[in-house]
Amino acid sequence: MEENLGREPVEMQDDTIEALKEMKEELAEERSEQRQERQSLNLIGLSTAIFSTLAAIAAMQGGYFANEGMLSQIKSSNSWAQFQAKSTKRHIEESNITILQALQKPVPAKTTTEIDKLNREQEEIGREAQKIQAESQQNLARHELFARSVAALQVGISMGAIAALTRKQAIWYVGLGIATIGIGFMVAGTLPSQQQAISANSDKVSLIQKY
């Protein structure tokens, strides 16, 4: 009776080769996954750096337009105060003319000349005030767009950090979408529309016509 000495050497060699082959495939697959993961992390890091830079630029621009808007608003208020002062003075001169006419007394030419001068000055001040007011509203509108841009970019940056920690690209894609919206606000702030400023000043135009 022959003793069972185990498996044949040829069979053992085949099994060893098969095992080595499987190990090689597993290592190759693992390396491929690691390489893809590193590439993904690199892209997340790159996008985060870009969004951080854009957010810093948007914040700086937003602050600039906020300051410019407030300064223009102050200048506009001063101009409208001068406008109102001229209007009040003109009404006083016109009242004097009415009183003189009621008393059947001659109206001095100086008074008529003064009224014409006040009218011209008032119209000039009104146009300048309207222009400054439009600039103020444009600057404040652009500030708001840049503020929204900063908020959206910061959300995109935060979601990128979460994606890097959780290794979930879906979160990163959502962050990219939100950051893209932020970039859109940034572009809109760089190229503001003139229509809003024109419509916002319609009340000022009617005020000039009234006086």
Side-chain angles (χ1 to χ4, degrees):
M1 183 177 181
E2 296 182 356
E3 295 182 359
N4 186 6
L5 298 178
R7 302 174 63 186
E8 293 293 333
V10 176
E11 294 179 358
M12 293 178 63
Q13 183 179 6
D14 292 341
D15 291 343
T16 302
I17 293 174
E18 185 67 24
L20 291 173
K21 184 178 179 180
E22 291 178 357
M23 290 178 61
K24 184 177 180 180
E25 291 177 352
E26 290 177 359
L27 287 173
E29 184 177 354
E30 184 177 350
R31 289 176 179 174
S32 177
E33 292 177 354
Q34 291 177 351
R35 184 166 54 253
Q36 292 178 357
E37 185 175 343
R38 284 196 301 269
Q39 291 176 351
S40 177
L41 291 175
N42 289 337
L43 289 175
I44 292 174
L46 178 61
S47 64
T48 300
I50 294 173
F51 296 154
S52 297
T53 302
L54 293 176
I57 295 173
M60 181 178 64
Q61 289 294 98
Y64 169 78
F65 285 118
N67 293 334
E68 289 296 313
M70 293 302 297
L71 289 175
S72 297
Q73 184 65 42
I74 293 172
K75 292 179 182 179
S76 175
S77 297
N78 292 335
S79 296
W80 284 116
Q82 293 178 5
F83 176 89
Q84 187 63 41
K86 295 291 183 181
S87 176
T88 301
K89 189 174 181 180
R90 179 171 58 85
H91 283 312
I92 292 174
E93 295 293 341
E94 290 174 347
S95 298
N96 291 335
I97 292 177
T98 302
I99 293 173
L100 291 174
Q101 290 176 345
L103 296 175
Q104 296 182 351
K105 292 185 178 182
V107 178
K110 182 179 179 181
T111 302
T112 304
T113 303
E114 182 67 17
I115 291 176
D116 293 337
K117 179 182 177 183
L118 290 172
N119 277 328
R120 291 193 300 270
E121 291 177 348
Q122 186 179 1
E123 290 177 0
E124 182 178 352
I125 293 173
R127 286 193 295 269
E128 183 65 21
Q130 183 183 5
K131 179 181 177 181
I132 297 173
Q133 180 69 22
E135 292 176 356
S136 173
Q137 292 182 351
Q138 286 183 8
N139 287 328
L140 292 176
R142 295 173 76 175
H143 159 71
E144 183 177 353
L145 289 171
F146 278 111
R148 293 179 181 179
S149 174
V150 172
L153 288 170
Q154 287 179 341
V155 172
I157 293 169
S158 299
M159 298 195 74
I162 295 172
L165 292 174
T166 59
R167 302 296 194 272
K168 293 182 178 179
Q169 287 191 344
I171 298 177
W172 178 51
Y173 292 145
V174 175
L176 286 178
I178 296 175
T180 301
I181 295 175
I183 295 174
F185 282 128
M186 193 173 181
V187 173
T190 305
L191 303 172
S193 174
Q194 302 291 330
Q195 185 62 34
Q196 182 178 2
I198 294 174
S199 61
N201 284 279
S202 59
D203 293 338
K204 299 296 184 181
V205 174
S206 61
L207 181 61
I208 294 175
Q209 294 174 346
K210 178 180 179 181
Y211 284 95

